Amino acid sequence: MNLLINLALALFVLVSLVMVLVILMQRPKSEGLGAAFGGAVTDNIFGAQTTNVLVKFTTWLAGIFFALTFALSVLYAHRSTADSAFRRELMKTQAAPQKSASPAAAQSSPVSATSPTFTPRPTAKP
């Protein structure tokens, strides 16, 4: 279970980093942050139809991002439920021996009736 959560979490971080980079590579309509990174660079590297490819790639990455988010939430909820069930089972096994003891034994004092009682000796006065 923990291996699956760690694998999904690593994939989640990777997808989110790639999505940030792809979004920053896109040319905005108003030439905002994309112009700071050289908006024409993506046209030169990937071709003239880069906008369509980047938009589709961003859409796929966003879908994967939300699917991984949902999967991680289900896995974490399942893990916490399993831990709670495990704790409940432990509490049942610990409570069972206490219930099986007889009530008379629970009410008796820790000193048994057969053990001699301690009586102090009288001290001699000088």
Side-chain angles (χ1 to χ4, degrees):
M1 175 73 91
N2 285 335
L3 179 66
L4 185 61
I5 290 175
N6 289 336
L7 183 66
L9 197 58
L11 190 61
F12 181 76
V13 170
L14 181 70
V15 166
S16 61
L17 289 176
V18 170
M19 192 165 59
V20 166
L21 291 175
V22 168
I23 289 172
L24 286 176
M25 284 174 43
Q26 291 180 11
R27 183 186 304 223
K29 304 254 189 275
S30 62
E31 296 294 328
L33 189 59
F37 292 107
V41 174
T42 58
D43 286 342
N44 292 337
I45 294 174
F46 300 114
Q49 297 296 324
T50 306
T51 307
N52 294 337
V53 173
L54 291 178
V55 168
K56 288 180 183 178
F57 194 53
T58 304
T59 305
W60 278 100
L61 284 174
I64 294 169
F65 179 84
F66 287 117
L68 282 172
T69 302
F70 181 72
L72 280 170
S73 67
V74 168
L75 287 173
Y76 274 116
H78 182 68
R79 186 176 75 167
S80 66
T81 304
D83 287 345
S84 297
F86 181 67
R87 285 186 190 143
R88 277 183 270 153
E89 194 63 36
L90 280 177
M91 294 302 285
K92 284 180 187 177
T93 58
Q94 288 177 354
Q98 293 174 356
K99 289 180 181 177
S100 65
S102 66
Q107 292 177 355
S108 67
S109 66
V111 179
S112 69
T114 59
S115 66
T117 58
F118 176 73
T119 55
R121 291 190 216 174
T123 57
K125 294 183 184 178

